[in-house]
Amino acid sequence: MTTAEVDARKDTIRRQVWNLLDQQGVVAGDGSAHGRIPNFVGAEVAADRLAALPEWEAASVIKAVPDKAQLPARARALRAGKVVYMAAPKLAPPQPFYLLDPAGLTVPAEEAASSRMAPSVARNVGLDELRPVDLIVCGSVAVSRDGVRLGKGAGYSDIEVALLAQAGLIGPATTIVTTVHPLQVIEGDIPETSHDFSVDVIVTTDEVITCAPPRRPGGLDWDDLSADQIAAMPILQSLQNNR
């Protein structure tokens, strides 16, 4: 498939999943799933199931997305004494990650892990201050049983993973997991591109799915980044200047 065909197929799958989640009434709150990483009913149950995995137990440093569906997992990590790194919106600050250190929190874990509260209680850090990451918790719109995932289409999660890989902060031993509603697990194929990363484990309210061997970038693919993306993210500008 051409790039345009891949993008069109991805958009079709996103719309199908968003429609299904809305139709089945499994989106938490009053909003629609469309245009976002769905905040699915049962996110707390999925976080409980995630916390029972040996990969979670062994992890001391976690990188997590700021989406509402993964809030229970972030809060659980902080309550368990794990350090959590969370990306700032659109990776816009020069130091684009929030450091949530359970040892220094002044509010309950559930509040600190909220994307609204984190900027007030966490310190911004850059790649040079991050510790190696043991486990990544990402959000998805859809994911196949062999680990191919779709985000909402903005590409920020792919860039975050590529940044961590390029900095040597993740490697083969780093587990990448996504928490989703069962309806977000696709039985058919999802097309991939060179900058996409796969997940190692899918955790739903009902099951844990171990996926195919990991597929993740070794670093940033500069040819795949647009001038607008680089201009909007100081960290990309800095890395580009030092190439």
Side-chain angles (χ1 to χ4, degrees):
M1 285 191 286
T2 65
T3 299
E5 289 171 335
V6 167
D7 290 343
R9 175 60 182 151
K10 287 182 174 183
D11 285 341
T12 296
I13 294 172
R14 289 187 186 100
R15 289 194 299 271
Q16 289 172 341
V17 172
W18 282 330
N19 287 337
L20 181 60
L21 295 176
D22 283 352
Q23 292 165 2
Q24 296 299 314
V26 295
V27 180
D30 298 326
S32 166
H34 277 261
R36 64 189 68 192
I37 299 296
N39 182 22
F40 60 93
V41 172
E44 297 84 359
V45 176
D48 291 344
R49 195 176 290 277
L50 169 60
L53 298 181
E55 295 91 343
W56 174 276
E57 290 287 345
S60 58
V61 179
I62 290 177
K63 155 67 180 68
V65 293
D67 300 287
K68 285 185 178 179
Q70 285 69 46
L71 173 57
R74 297 193 300 273
R76 258 191 168 278
L78 293 175
R79 289 199 304 270
K82 303 177 189 296
V83 170
V84 175
Y85 296 122
M86 187 169 70
K90 299 182 179 180
L91 296 172
Q95 296 175 306
F97 297 95
Y98 297 125
L99 165 59
L100 292 166
D101 186 345
L105 292 182
T106 57
V107 299
E110 285 78 8
E111 292 183 32
S114 164
S115 60
R116 291 186 179 182
M117 179 63 72
S120 301
V121 300
R123 184 167 63 89
N124 280 76
V125 293
L127 286 173
D128 58 335
E129 290 189 75
L130 267 61
R131 293 165 51 187
V133 174
D134 302 311
L135 185 141
I136 294 175
V137 179
C138 65
S140 302
V141 172
V143 61
S144 66
R145 286 184 172 268
D146 60 354
V148 183
R149 67 171 285 280
L150 289 179
K152 59 187 178 183
Y156 292 111
S157 287
D158 292 315
I159 293 174
E160 291 165 25
V161 171
L163 284 170
L164 295 175
Q166 181 151 323
L169 295 167
I170 64 171
T174 306
T175 300
I176 303 181
V177 60
T178 189
T179 55
V180 294
H181 191 276
L183 294 177
Q184 294 174 258
V185 180
I186 302 298
E187 296 298 336
D189 293 334
I190 297 176
E192 292 181 272
T193 59
S194 60
H195 65 261
D196 293 328
F197 67 89
S198 68
V199 300
D200 306 315
V201 181
I202 303 166
V203 181
T204 79
T205 55
D206 299 336
E207 63 179 329
V208 174
I209 303 166
T210 301
C211 304
R215 300 178 301 283
R216 59 198 60 165
L220 292 166
D221 182 350
W222 291 100
D223 293 334
D224 199 51
L225 294 170
S226 69
D228 288 343
Q229 285 176 311
I230 295 172
M233 302 181 207
I235 191 169
L236 293 182
Q237 298 169 35
S238 176
L239 291 171
Q240 186 182 53
N241 292 336
N242 291 326
R243 289 175 66 189

